[in-house]
Amino acid sequence: MQTSSPILAGIAPRTEVILSILAYSICSGSLVLINKLILHSLPYPSIVISVQLFATVVFVITSSYAGFIECDPIKWKFVAPYLAYTVAFSVGVYCNMKSLQYSNVETVIVFRALAPCIVALLDAFFLGREYPSKRSWAGLSLIVLGAYSYAITDSQFEEQGMSAYFWPTLYCFVISFEMAYGKKIIRSVDLKTKSGPVLYTNILSFTPMLLFAHMGNEYQRFWGDLWLRDDGKLPSGSITLLLFGCIIGTAIGYSSWWCRDKVSATSFTLIGVMNKCLTVLLNLLIWDNHASTLGILSLFLCLVGGSVYRQAPMRSNTSRQDLSPLIPKDDDIWDSDNESLGESGTINNEGLRFEGPESRLTSGDKNN
C-alpha cells in the first residue's frame, strides 16, 4: 500500500480524496488536448510517447537520488506482473495516440466510454463479481445508444467507414483488459510508494514505444521531414508543447495512482469516464473539426450512462479472502484503504536501490 506524502500530512481524508480526483481529472483531460496539439506539429505518436515516458523516468530517478521523493526499489519479482500490465498499457497508449492522429477527440472519448461494457463482463467472468444490476444495465444501454447515435452523425464515418474507427475500437478492447488486469496487480504487487508504480510502468513501457516507432517508420519520417525544412529545425512551438506534455505526463502518472489509492476501483473507473466532460468542453473551444450538435449530445448521453453505471458486488459464493488482492474493501467512493500488504523493501532518502537476484546496487554506496 502506498504511503501518504508528508506534504499532505494534516489534510482531512475527505479533502485528500477530492484533491486526488481533481488532480487526476485535470491531468487526464489536459494530456488528451496537449497530445493532440503536439501531433499537429510532430505527427510521430510513438516518439512523442517515448519522450514523455523517458522524462518521467528521469524525474523519478533523479528526484529519488536527490532525496526529494521516496521510491520503491526495483526488484525482479515485481517485473513479471508489471511487464504484462505494461504491454497492455503501452499498446493502449499507442492506440490512443493513433486514434487522436486519425480521428477527432470526441471519437476517442466515445470509445473510451464503451470500455465499462467490456470490463463489466470481465468482472463477472474472471473476478468473481455479479452481473450488472438493472441500474447498471440501464447505464450501459445509454452508453451504447449514445455511441451509436454519435457514429451515424460522424462525418469521418460517412467518408471513411469503419477505417475511421479501427484504432478507437482496438483502444477500447485493450484498455478494458488493462483495467481488469490492473485490478489484479494493484493488490498483488507489494509496492509502498506512489513513485513505485509510476517508475515501473514508465520504465517498462519505454522499450515497447521505441519498437512501435520503428514499426511505424517514425524515425525515417522524422529525419526526412527535418531534412526538408529550410531551417533544419523543428516546427515553431513544438519543443514547448513537448515540454508541457512531459510535465503533464509525469503528473498524470502520480495523480492516477494517488486517486486510485484513495477511492474504490468502481469510483476510479467512473472518474475516468466523467473527466472526459472537461475534455469535451475544452475541445469545443479549441478545435474547428468537432462533431455536430447531435454528435455532442450523443457524447454527453454516453457520459450520463457512465455516471449511472455501478460496479457489481462480489458473488456470495466467492471467498473474499481469496480475491482480496484484486478488489478494494468496498465500493464506497470515500474508501481509503490503509491496510499494508507486506514488505516491499527498504525505502531511504539516498535514492533508488536496485536489487537483482544475486547482486545489489545501492545508490547511497556510490562515492560522490
Side-chain angles (χ1 to χ4, degrees):
M1 177 55 58
Q2 302 161 15
T3 58
S4 297
S5 170
I7 300 177
L8 301 174
I11 298 180
R14 175 169 294 211
T15 302
E16 187 174 353
V17 170
I18 296 175
L19 290 175
S20 68
I21 294 174
L22 290 175
Y24 172 60
S25 299
I26 293 173
C27 291
S28 178
S30 299
L31 188 61
V32 172
L33 295 174
I34 195 70
N35 280 340
K36 185 69 175 180
L37 286 170
I38 293 173
L39 289 176
H40 273 300
S41 56
L42 298 174
Y44 322 106
S46 296
I47 294 179
V48 171
I49 298 170
S50 298
V51 173
Q52 293 175 351
L53 294 174
F54 181 76
T56 301
V57 172
V58 170
F59 170 81
V60 174
I61 293 179
T62 55
S63 298
S64 179
Y65 270 105
F68 297 134
I69 63 174
E70 294 181 339
C71 185
D72 296 89
I74 294 180
K75 293 185 176 181
W76 291 109
K77 68 177 182 179
F78 295 149
V79 171
Y82 262 93
L83 184 60
Y85 175 82
T86 298
V87 170
F89 169 80
S90 301
V91 175
V93 171
Y94 179 78
C95 292
N96 182 41
M97 294 291 285
K98 297 293 287 187
S99 299
L100 291 172
Q101 184 177 1
Y102 293 109
S103 300
N104 50 30
V105 175
E106 289 89 348
T107 302
V108 177
I109 294 174
V110 166
F111 278 85
R112 173 65 178 84
L114 288 173
C117 301
I118 303 175
V119 175
L121 296 178
L122 294 176
D123 272 337
F125 292 158
F126 302 109
L127 299 180
R129 290 192 177 273
E130 297 280 359
Y131 285 97
S133 63
K134 293 181 179 179
R135 170 178 174 168
S136 295
W137 279 123
L140 294 176
S141 299
L142 288 176
I143 294 175
V144 174
L145 178 61
Y148 175 76
S149 177
Y150 176 86
I152 62 177
T153 62
D154 189 2
S155 60
Q156 288 190 339
F157 180 81
E158 296 176 358
E159 297 173 359
Q160 304 176 25
M162 289 305 299
S163 63
Y165 292 90
F166 172 77
W167 287 110
T169 300
L170 186 59
Y171 169 65
C172 177
F173 282 101
V174 170
I175 198 174
S176 297
F177 169 79
E178 178 191 338
M179 287 290 183
Y181 185 72
K183 291 178 184 179
K184 176 178 176 63
I185 67 169
I186 194 174
R187 293 288 181 168
S188 301
V189 179
D190 187 22
L191 297 178
K192 297 290 187 181
T193 68
K194 296 179 179 65
S195 297
V198 175
L199 178 63
Y200 274 88
T201 303
N202 285 269
I203 201 170
L204 291 175
S205 300
F206 184 67
T207 299
M209 283 299 118
L210 294 178
L211 179 61
F212 286 144
H214 174 72
M215 294 169 55
N217 295 319
E218 293 185 18
Y219 301 124
Q220 294 86 338
R221 290 191 291 111
F222 173 78
W223 290 113
D225 294 343
L226 191 63
W227 180 263
L228 292 175
R229 293 183 61 87
D230 295 335
D231 54 4
K233 299 180 181 179
L234 294 175
S236 177
S238 59
I239 297 298
T240 302
L241 289 174
L242 193 60
L243 177 61
F244 277 110
C246 291
I247 295 174
I248 298 175
T250 302
I252 196 174
Y254 278 93
S255 62
S256 62
W257 287 105
W258 179 28
C259 183
R260 182 175 291 177
D261 182 43
K262 295 304 175 183
V263 302
S264 67
T266 299
S267 301
F268 184 77
T269 303
L270 292 175
I271 293 167
V273 175
M274 295 305 298
N275 66 35
K276 304 305 178 185
C277 291
L278 175 62
T279 307
V280 174
L281 295 176
L282 294 176
N283 183 62
L284 291 175
L285 298 175
I286 297 176
W287 312 123
D288 59 358
N289 62 335
H290 56 74
S292 63
T293 301
L294 179 58
I296 294 296
L297 293 177
S298 300
L299 173 62
F300 274 102
L301 184 61
C302 291
L303 298 176
V304 170
S307 66
V308 171
Y309 174 77
R310 291 294 184 273
Q311 187 169 295
M314 299 298 297
R315 289 195 292 267
S316 58
N317 61 346
T318 302
S319 172
R320 184 174 180 84
Q321 183 177 1
D322 293 338
L323 291 175
S324 59
L326 307 179
I327 59 173
K329 291 191 296 185
D330 54 57
D331 283 334
D332 183 1
I333 190 172
W334 302 116
D335 177 26
S336 179
D337 187 0
N338 293 319
E339 290 183 350
S340 175
L341 301 179
E343 296 297 324
S344 67
T346 302
I347 303 173
N348 57 63
N349 290 329
E350 296 177 344
L352 283 172
R353 186 181 69 188
F354 296 87
E355 295 184 357
E358 300 177 355
S359 62
R360 178 178 304 176
L361 173 62
T362 304
S363 63
D365 293 336
K366 293 182 178 180
N367 296 324
N368 294 328

